[in-house]
Amino acid sequence: MPHRKGEDLFNPGLIPCKDCQGYKWLRWQVWLCRLAVLPLIVFHWRPRLGVLARCRPCPLALAEILLLTDDSGLQHVVEVRTEEMEEGCLELLGQQEEDEWRDDVQLLNVEKTLLRYFVLQGLRYVWLDRRETFCPVGVLNEDQTCQDLHGFLKGLSPREQSMRRTMFGKNLIDVPVKSCLKLLFDEVLNPFYVFQVFSIVLWMCDDYYYYAGCIILISIISIGISLYETRKQSIALHNMAHLVTDVKIRRESGEEDSVSSVELVPGDCLIIPEEGLLLPCDAALLAGECLVNESMLTGESVPMLKTSLPADDRTYSSDTERRHTIFCGTHIIQASGGRPGGDGAVAVVTNTGFFTAKGDLVSSIMYPQQCSFSFQKDAMKFLFILGLIASCGTIYIFVILLKANVTWSELIVRCLDIVTIVVPPALPAAITTGTIYAQKRLKKHGIFCINPPRINVSGKVSVFCFDKTGTLTEEGLDVWGVMEGRPAGFSELVPDPKLLPPGHMQSALACCHTVKLLRGQPLGDILELKMVESTGWNLQEPEGDGDVVHAEFGGHKVLAVMKPSNQQPLFQGTSSSEAVAIVQRFPFSSALQRMSVVTVAHGGRSALAFVKGSPEMVTSLCGADSVPPQFSSTLRTFSSEGLRVLALACKPVDVNSDLMNMKRAEVEKDLQFLGLLMMKNLIKPKTEDVIDILTKAHIRTLMVTGDNIFTAVNVAKSCRMVGPDDKVIFVTATPRTAQSLPTLRFSLEDEVAQSSTYDMDQGGPPDYHLAIDGKSFAALRDHFPEDLPKVLMKATVFARMTPDQKAQLVKELQSLNYCVGMCGDGANDCGALKAADVGVSLSEAEASVASPFTSKTENISCVPLLIREGRCSLVMSFSLFRYMVLYSVIQFCSVLILNTVKTTLGDIQFLFCDLFLVTVLVFLIGRGGPSEQLHPCRPPGRLRSLPVFGSLFLHTCMIILGQLAAFFITTKENWYIPLNSTVFGKDNLPNMENSCVFELSGYQYIFIAAVVTKGYPHNKPFYHNRMFLCFLVLQLVVMTWLVLDPCPFFSQILQLYDFTNMIFGLLLIVVAADNFLVCCLLELLIDLGLLNCLRRLRGARPSKKQYKRLKVVLSDSASWPPLDQTQTPTDQPVVHFR
């Protein structure tokens, strides 16, 4: 058995491999396989077979070839490479890695130090013997602390850089652009074209020269177009990913050298110029501040301030330290405060190549995440069913021809010809045309997609989650008022912060922010810009080396200066003309729900720290004696009115301490509560209409926000996510502590509870929504897993959710078999957007690492449009699938009937049916657009369903009956001339049997396209597809002309028998019309539920979707949720469902 160690092999964010097997080459088997061409083609399709045929299993430590299986079941074959390294150079990576590598060297018994690695989708994996597996090379730096990163300020020696370059590889996001010859080779070896080559050879053997020639021409054109598009996309992606520039790094000697960004390695000390640059790597900011634009990665167009990383013992992670990490591909607009003279900044390289954020974006485009949607898989499985049908047809033809005493060569050709008819090689390409048209329509509306298969998935969305700020509500905020807090209570509401008396509250509003100046214009978060603007204070930044400014504030290094514009006192004993300097910033963290600054008064006489954040978090950091007793009721009042509420606090700091190097934990504790800032956040004009559309379409809508729960509930009511008469029940869960057990409680809003008239003993009201915050959500997941699915079924508002919790929520909903959509601005929603089945990022960028869909629309109106296009594409895919299958059935029946009487279809007849009739219709069916409205019923998503199989079976029966009717009507006519039975095949053409079956089947190709093309409710009626309708009419006219009065020239070309009897031609048309009407009637009855009677025979079965089963149980439960009862894990009511 091959050596397996799959559980340790991982690939962050791309392909977690669940199985890894090692193999070594067997040279004689390799040469044996090279002597045969066919095995090499099979190995190209199934690399695993190639490994098994040419290799033997071995331990991973000795493997030359690895067979990897990812979580989606895809297999990858990679070659293990070795590279010589300098002796002893691994010691530079630290003791742990040194020991690991020394073990590896002893295992291999090699005197030289060898690096063993492989590259999968751009990521390099190295062998670590202690772990007995290959790990991403980034794991060598995974335990680095923030203090360790500060140790790189001195720079790397040339030897260290050389070693690290060998270990980590070049800093390139290299998207290979294959040569035309390589692309042609890959395209021709596609199973579709291999089958085409087999078919063409077969047709040539059967003297179908015209048909084979046309297929060759079409294949050449198709391959040419495919090569052009593939190469064009590869070049575009290569140019987007390619980023090579000159950067300046610090050497160990202290010198600063300009090098190519390709040579950067993790650990390099990067010097960022004042004017900024396009960063070619991920880097942690060690000194200074940078104003950056991350729109390409997160979709967030507002510039963000990055501050220097604190030098503490925390383990560094780019996810948790986002405010101190600058990501590859972001544009650094301005850098300051990091070097002597005040210009520029200093950072350390943390990731290079495909391990960077931009590399993750490129990988998501090159190797899109596999979705669990079953349509494509079912379509491929159905090809095997057609293969079985072809086998039956082959056996039948074999018997018929054997009785006819044909030659063995003709018998083999005829039998194989059946396979080329029944199995349509163009099926996989045909069913994607609807998706291609949908993608083009979405692009016209400013919605860009980097993963087209997700378009079909969007048609099955059953629940859609929305971020609040910037998604449901306007990005901008207006200051609504300020209330100062004192131990005795709150002061009166001050609508304008300029009217505040001089004091700490006014200073906090003016200074607690991360706003920067760019060419004299303030840039930063819109909330902070509005807050600073409301105070009337002015922002200034030191110029040049800033020594004069530093001296004015006691010699402290100043980041920014805030000056009041009025003549009121600023601090007690000072005049308002004196400014306040910001000397340290700790940017806002979603996980911490706060930000803070350290300020110094003019002259350096005193220092204060200010903290701004969520009221609950800020008060938890304040002394209890400084928080007004009315805090909770006041916060609830303002939040319930839909206001964005922020709390501010301060604390005195020792002005003689090292303010620049203060730890965040020291600043944000033992605070004194200052007051509340209320800001009005208006709902976007389109929000209410979109939520109403989704609700009417029976698509659940959820709000997932980091804001206060009462504010979120108010916004949910304002946008009709919660109906005006619906009740809101708050879910409060607490974790286990040393003194208490975990608890769970359901309670109504105060005002609802007072006016409610329903019986509390009967549980919750019929129409109710649950609201829960992040802390309760975490406790619910940990301590009340039985209640979690029920809460998810009824919860509409999720507040105070961290980015990780948003992603967890999406996965929990998916575990209930929901198809989950997520819409956000991309900033704090990246994890949820990527985890969702359909993620939509509202961004100006055309592609974002955040999600497969990016919309340039500034509101959520893109969501119903995307769902409508998804439903249209999905329905079209079903229609095209059924049409391609029935097209094969029509031709299969024609050939079987004609072969039975020793004739067949002619060369030009095949050409006429396949090109003029079928191919044109396949490319035109998908042009129909989506319906203007979202219907409450979602389209089916599985091909293996009773309506699909029933429809195909019934239409197949009608097709057979139609052709047999035409055949027997012809043979019963008194002028019928029997076929010459001494010859077989095309030598009998033209004849009556061939002509009647060909003409009837021609009508079937046309009307089946009309029958299976769905309109209402998800698509526009097919007559809106004018080009499709025009070609249908044209084809009907041509077929009618061929039946009634064809000119001799076309009769000769098509080898048609000239029926001089006009009555017979009209009779054939009547048969075709009857066939069409019966198929239409059957399709209508199937849509109306004709086949449901078969389901009744087997009895009612519960839904396969867990959320549907749970919904039935909850609707019948009178005991859940238990209101105003505090539960522990041992006494909660149990709701069972199957």
Side-chain angles (χ1 to χ4, degrees):
M1 290 294 292
H3 186 78
R4 297 168 185 255
K5 203 72 177 178
E7 63 273 9
D8 293 327
L9 184 69
F10 67 95
N11 180 339
L14 289 177
I15 302 181
C17 293
K18 62 182 180 182
D19 188 34
C20 177
Q21 304 174 26
Y23 294 87
K24 288 182 74 72
W25 292 112
L26 289 175
R27 304 303 171 189
W28 68 271
Q29 289 182 245
V30 172
W31 282 105
L32 187 63
C33 290
R34 285 178 179 175
L35 296 177
V37 178
L38 185 59
L40 295 179
I41 297 177
V42 175
F43 297 161
H44 180 78
W45 296 338
R46 291 288 182 268
R48 178 176 179 273
L49 298 179
V51 173
L52 297 177
R54 296 175 290 183
C55 304
R56 64 175 177 83
C58 72
L60 291 182
L62 302 174
E64 298 175 347
I65 292 293
L66 296 178
L67 180 61
L68 310 176
T69 305
D70 61 34
D71 285 343
S72 62
L74 293 179
Q75 293 185 323
H76 309 266
V77 175
V78 294
E79 180 183 359
V80 178
R81 308 175 188 176
T82 58
E83 191 168 339
E84 184 179 341
M85 302 184 70
E86 297 181 32
E87 185 67 30
C89 64
L90 294 171
E91 298 176 3
L92 300 173
L93 288 178
Q95 184 65 32
Q96 176 184 359
E97 283 74 24
E98 176 190 349
D99 292 343
E100 290 174 350
W101 281 92
R102 283 179 176 171
D103 290 344
D104 184 49
V105 171
Q106 292 171 5
L107 175 66
L108 295 174
N109 294 319
V110 180
E111 295 182 0
K112 296 180 180 179
T113 303
L114 292 179
L115 171 69
R116 301 184 68 248
Y117 68 96
F118 69 86
V119 177
L120 176 64
Q121 297 184 355
L123 298 180
R124 176 178 288 210
Y125 294 78
V126 296
W127 173 260
L128 297 182
D129 189 71
R130 178 171 296 180
R131 302 192 183 193
E132 296 184 354
T133 189
F134 288 90
C135 295
V137 69
V139 79
L140 299 176
N141 296 327
E142 68 178 358
D143 294 327
Q144 285 184 331
T145 65
C146 299
Q147 183 67 50
D148 293 335
L149 292 181
H150 276 269
F152 290 106
L153 275 170
K154 62 182 181 181
L156 298 176
S157 68
R159 184 165 174 260
E160 287 177 306
Q161 285 181 319
S162 175
M163 178 275 298
R164 287 174 176 265
R165 194 170 298 117
T166 303
M167 182 75 65
F168 293 94
K170 294 181 179 179
N171 178 34
L172 273 179
I173 304 174
D174 188 21
V175 178
V177 179
K178 297 180 180 179
S179 65
C180 293
L181 188 62
K182 182 67 169 64
L183 286 173
L184 178 63
F185 180 78
D186 291 341
E187 192 74 18
V188 170
L189 286 186
N190 185 295
F192 162 68
Y193 286 113
V194 172
F195 188 78
Q196 285 285 54
V197 171
F198 165 76
S199 302
I200 289 170
V201 172
L202 189 66
W203 297 328
M204 297 287 278
C205 293
D206 202 22
D207 298 334
Y208 283 114
Y209 298 117
Y210 294 116
Y211 184 71
C214 286
I215 296 301
I216 291 173
L217 180 62
I218 292 173
S219 298
I220 291 174
I221 295 174
S222 176
I223 291 174
I225 294 174
S226 177
L227 294 184
Y228 172 77
E229 290 295 332
T230 302
R231 187 170 172 82
K232 178 183 175 182
Q233 292 174 6
S234 296
I235 292 174
L237 186 59
H238 174 84
N239 293 336
M240 186 269 280
H242 187 72
L243 175 57
V244 177
T245 184
D246 289 334
V247 295
K248 188 175 289 187
I249 61 172
R250 181 181 293 165
R251 300 290 189 186
E252 189 180 38
S253 61
E255 298 178 354
E256 295 180 357
D257 287 346
S258 179
V259 299
S260 170
S261 60
V262 177
E263 300 179 15
L264 289 176
V265 295
D268 268 330
C269 184
L270 184 66
I271 306 301
I272 302 174
E274 181 181 12
E275 63 276 11
L277 77 161
L278 193 61
L279 196 67
C281 60
D282 286 355
L285 192 58
L286 301 183
E289 295 181 334
C290 290
L291 193 65
V292 303
N293 184 346
E294 294 183 335
S295 60
M296 190 189 79
L297 299 178
T298 66
E300 181 63 65
S301 59
V302 177
M304 298 178 62
L305 180 68
K306 303 283 185 173
T307 59
S308 56
L309 182 73
D312 53 30
D313 294 331
R314 297 196 317 272
T315 300
Y316 172 79
S317 168
S318 60
D319 291 331
T320 58
E321 308 293 345
R322 293 186 68 88
R323 286 289 183 170
H324 311 295
T325 303
I326 312 174
F327 297 101
C328 178
T330 60
H331 180 213
I332 301 178
I333 303 172
Q334 186 184 68
S336 61
R339 308 186 64 208
D343 62 329
V346 181
V348 60
V349 178
T350 56
N351 283 311
T352 57
F354 275 93
F355 283 97
T356 63
K358 185 176 180 180
D360 191 18
L361 168 62
V362 175
S363 292
S364 67
I365 298 174
M366 293 176 64
Y367 316 105
Q369 182 180 355
Q370 298 293 319
C371 57
S372 58
F373 198 52
S374 61
F375 176 78
Q376 293 285 349
K377 296 178 182 177
D378 289 349
M380 296 303 103
K381 291 177 181 177
F382 206 88
L383 286 178
F384 290 101
I385 297 177
L386 293 178
L388 294 176
I389 296 174
S391 301
C392 297
T394 299
I395 295 172
Y396 174 78
I397 292 298
F398 181 84
V399 174
I400 292 295
L401 298 183
L402 200 59
K403 291 181 178 180
N405 296 321
V406 300
T407 63
W408 278 99
S409 61
E410 187 171 4
L411 189 148
I412 293 173
V413 169
R414 288 296 171 199
C415 290
L416 293 178
D417 192 37
I418 292 296
V419 178
T420 68
I421 291 172
V422 179
V423 182
L427 177 62
I431 60 178
T432 62
T433 56
T435 303
I436 294 172
Y437 284 122
Q439 186 177 11
K440 290 181 178 179
R441 289 193 297 266
L442 286 171
K443 190 173 182 179
K444 290 180 181 178
H445 288 90
I447 302 174
F448 301 90
C449 176
I450 61 173
N451 191 354
R454 295 277 175 170
I455 295 177
N456 276 359
V457 179
S458 65
K460 292 294 294 179
V461 168
S462 50
V463 60
F464 225 102
C465 306
F466 294 94
D467 181 35
K468 183 180 77 69
T469 306
T471 304
L472 296 175
T473 62
E474 297 285 358
E475 187 71 47
L477 298 166
D478 292 319
V479 174
W480 190 81
V482 181
M483 289 183 70
E484 290 190 88
R486 303 182 181 88
F490 283 100
S491 66
E492 293 293 326
L493 178 69
V494 179
D496 188 352
K498 294 189 182 74
L499 302 178
L500 282 172
H504 293 338
M505 185 64 178
Q506 191 180 62
S507 300
L509 293 172
C511 300
C512 199
H513 59 80
T514 56
V515 176
K516 293 278 291 181
L517 289 179
L518 180 64
R519 302 182 186 90
Q521 296 297 319
L523 288 178
D525 185 84
I526 296 177
L527 182 150
E528 294 184 336
L529 289 172
K530 288 285 186 180
M531 183 183 72
V532 173
E533 180 185 348
S534 69
T535 64
W537 287 42
N538 298 317
L539 171 65
Q540 295 181 356
E541 293 182 345
E543 297 180 358
D545 55 17
D547 291 341
V548 176
V549 178
H550 302 334
E552 290 180 6
F553 293 91
H556 294 282
K557 187 175 181 179
V558 175
L559 301 177
V561 178
M562 298 302 301
K563 290 186 176 181
S565 59
N566 53 46
Q567 298 302 314
Q568 295 178 344
L570 181 61
F571 297 110
Q572 186 176 357
T574 66
S575 82
S576 63
S577 60
E578 294 178 338
V580 179
I582 302 172
V583 297
Q584 177 68 294
R585 288 189 179 109
F586 298 102
F588 176 78
S589 166
S590 298
L592 299 177
Q593 299 180 7
R594 62 184 182 269
M595 63 89 56
S596 57
V597 296
V598 178
T599 64
V600 176
H602 194 272
R605 291 187 298 274
S606 62
L608 280 173
F610 294 107
V611 177
K612 174 180 94 260
S614 71
E616 301 91 339
M617 178 56 69
V618 172
T619 53
S620 70
L621 303 173
C622 294
D625 57 346
S626 70
V627 180
Q630 307 89 353
F631 168 77
S632 296
S633 60
T634 303
L635 172 62
R636 184 162 189 165
T637 299
F638 288 127
S639 298
S640 299
E641 294 176 6
L643 298 173
R644 177 82 177 271
V645 184
L646 298 174
L648 296 105
C650 73
K651 67 179 285 187
V653 180
D654 183 5
V655 74
N656 295 317
S657 62
D658 186 3
L659 301 181
M660 276 295 297
N661 294 313
M662 285 190 70
K663 300 290 191 295
R664 184 165 192 161
E666 296 177 16
V667 173
E668 298 173 347
K669 69 177 183 178
D670 301 328
L671 301 172
Q672 179 182 353
F673 184 78
L674 292 177
L676 300 176
L677 168 67
M678 281 70 70
M679 307 191 81
K680 188 68 175 177
N681 194 196
L682 300 176
I683 293 177
K684 292 183 178 180
K686 293 283 187 180
T687 297
E688 188 175 335
D689 293 337
V690 170
I691 298 299
D692 189 50
I693 290 171
L694 296 178
T695 303
K696 290 179 180 178
H698 295 175
I699 297 174
R700 277 187 67 194
T701 54
L702 309 181
M703 182 190 300
V704 189
T705 177
D707 210 339
N708 179 275
I709 191 169
F710 300 108
T711 303
V713 168
N714 179 275
V715 173
K717 291 180 177 179
S718 301
C719 67
R720 296 186 184 177
M721 203 174 278
V722 174
D725 298 326
D726 294 345
K727 315 299 182 184
V728 176
I729 299 175
F730 291 96
V731 183
T732 306
T734 59
R736 185 186 304 274
T737 64
Q739 294 79 24
S740 63
L741 292 172
T743 62
L744 176 63
R745 186 178 179 86
F746 298 87
S747 55
L748 281 164
E749 289 179 290
D750 292 340
E751 65 273 19
V752 174
Q754 295 170 5
S755 61
S756 178
T757 59
Y758 70 88
D759 187 355
M760 289 285 190
D761 295 334
Q762 298 300 316
D767 297 322
Y768 65 93
H769 300 262
L770 301 183
I772 187 172
D773 62 19
K775 290 183 178 179
S776 295
F777 178 75
L780 190 68
R781 291 182 72 234
D782 293 339
H783 303 292
F784 300 90
E786 298 86 356
D787 272 293
L788 179 61
K790 294 174 277 183
V791 171
L792 294 177
M793 283 294 301
K794 301 301 294 185
T796 299
V797 175
F798 296 83
R800 292 289 186 228
M801 299 285 281
T802 65
D804 287 342
Q805 287 178 325
K806 292 181 180 181
Q808 291 168 3
L809 172 62
V810 169
K811 293 176 182 178
E812 293 290 353
L813 289 169
Q814 289 170 331
S815 70
L816 296 179
N817 304 124
Y818 275 112
C819 184
V820 184
M822 174 72 195
C823 182
D825 57 12
N828 297 321
D829 311 311
C830 289
L833 288 168
K834 294 173 74 173
D837 297 290
V838 178
V840 184
S841 174
L842 303 183
S843 168
E844 289 295 321
E846 289 192 10
S848 168
V849 72
S851 61
F853 295 97
T854 306
S855 174
K856 288 190 174 183
T857 310
E858 295 181 353
N859 53 61
I860 62 173
S861 62
C862 59
V863 171
L865 174 62
L866 175 60
I867 296 175
R868 287 193 289 115
E869 286 289 359
R871 292 183 176 185
C872 173
S873 174
L874 184 58
V875 170
M876 283 300 177
S877 296
F878 270 77
S879 297
L880 286 163
F881 171 81
R882 291 198 299 156
Y883 182 66
M884 290 299 293
V885 171
L886 292 175
Y887 144 66
S888 298
V889 168
I890 293 170
Q891 203 163 82
F892 176 61
C893 293
S894 300
V895 172
L896 285 187
I897 292 172
L898 294 178
N899 280 186
T900 303
V901 294
K902 299 184 179 182
T903 186
T904 188
L905 291 173
D907 193 356
I908 305 301
Q909 289 175 348
F910 273 119
L911 197 62
F912 177 83
C913 294
D914 287 355
L915 297 186
F916 178 71
L917 298 181
V918 176
T919 303
V920 173
L921 294 178
V922 165
F923 283 104
L924 294 179
I925 286 177
R927 287 179 59 87
S931 174
E932 297 296 333
Q933 294 182 337
L934 272 179
H935 196 269
C937 177
R938 289 186 296 275
R942 296 181 64 86
L943 284 174
R944 290 182 296 170
S945 62
L946 185 59
V948 174
F949 278 105
S951 170
L952 291 175
F953 175 75
L954 292 176
H955 288 319
T956 297
C957 292
M958 293 303 103
I959 287 168
I960 296 172
L961 289 176
Q963 294 191 20
L964 289 176
F967 177 79
F968 286 118
I969 287 173
T970 304
T971 58
K972 296 300 180 183
E973 293 290 343
N974 52 15
W975 40 258
Y976 167 69
I977 302 174
L979 190 66
N980 181 6
S981 59
T982 60
V983 294
F984 184 88
K986 292 182 294 183
D987 295 334
N988 277 324
L989 296 178
N991 58 66
M992 294 184 178
E993 293 86 347
N994 167 275
S995 297
C996 69
V997 171
F998 167 75
E999 290 169 353
L1000 196 283
S1001 66
Y1003 279 111
Q1004 288 178 332
Y1005 292 122
I1006 300 169
F1007 71 67
I1008 282 294
V1011 169
V1012 301
T1013 302
K1014 296 289 186 180
Y1016 179 84
H1018 304 299
N1019 293 1
K1020 292 178 180 177
F1022 78 91
Y1023 55 78
H1024 282 273
N1025 188 349
R1026 294 185 180 89
M1027 191 172 293
F1028 174 64
L1029 184 61
C1030 289
F1031 265 91
L1032 278 181
V1033 173
L1034 175 62
Q1035 290 173 341
L1036 285 172
V1037 170
V1038 171
M1039 282 306 306
T1040 303
W1041 172 62
L1042 290 177
V1043 171
L1044 296 179
D1045 188 24
C1047 69
F1049 175 73
F1050 284 102
S1051 293
Q1052 183 179 356
I1053 290 179
L1054 290 171
Q1055 295 178 290
L1056 295 177
Y1057 186 87
D1058 186 12
F1059 294 107
T1060 57
N1061 192 330
M1062 182 69 70
I1063 303 298
F1064 174 76
L1066 293 173
L1067 185 59
L1068 276 182
I1069 295 174
V1070 170
V1071 172
D1074 290 342
N1075 203 190
F1076 167 63
L1077 292 175
V1078 172
C1079 287
C1080 284
L1081 179 61
L1082 288 174
E1083 190 70 17
L1084 179 62
L1085 292 175
I1086 291 171
D1087 290 341
L1088 294 176
L1090 170 67
L1091 301 177
N1092 289 339
C1093 58
L1094 298 178
R1095 288 196 175 100
R1096 294 193 185 98
L1097 293 176
R1098 74 178 186 187
R1101 292 185 181 181
S1103 173
K1104 294 181 180 179
K1105 297 187 183 298
Q1106 187 176 345
Y1107 76 89
K1108 289 185 177 181
R1109 303 196 304 270
L1110 189 55
K1111 184 178 181 180
V1112 173
V1113 174
L1114 288 179
S1115 64
D1116 297 335
S1117 173
S1119 61
W1120 198 90
L1123 296 177
D1124 299 325
Q1125 300 176 26
T1126 301
Q1127 305 172 68
T1128 61
T1130 57
D1131 61 7
Q1132 43 185 319
V1134 179
V1135 176
H1136 297 283
F1137 66 94
R1138 296 181 179 180

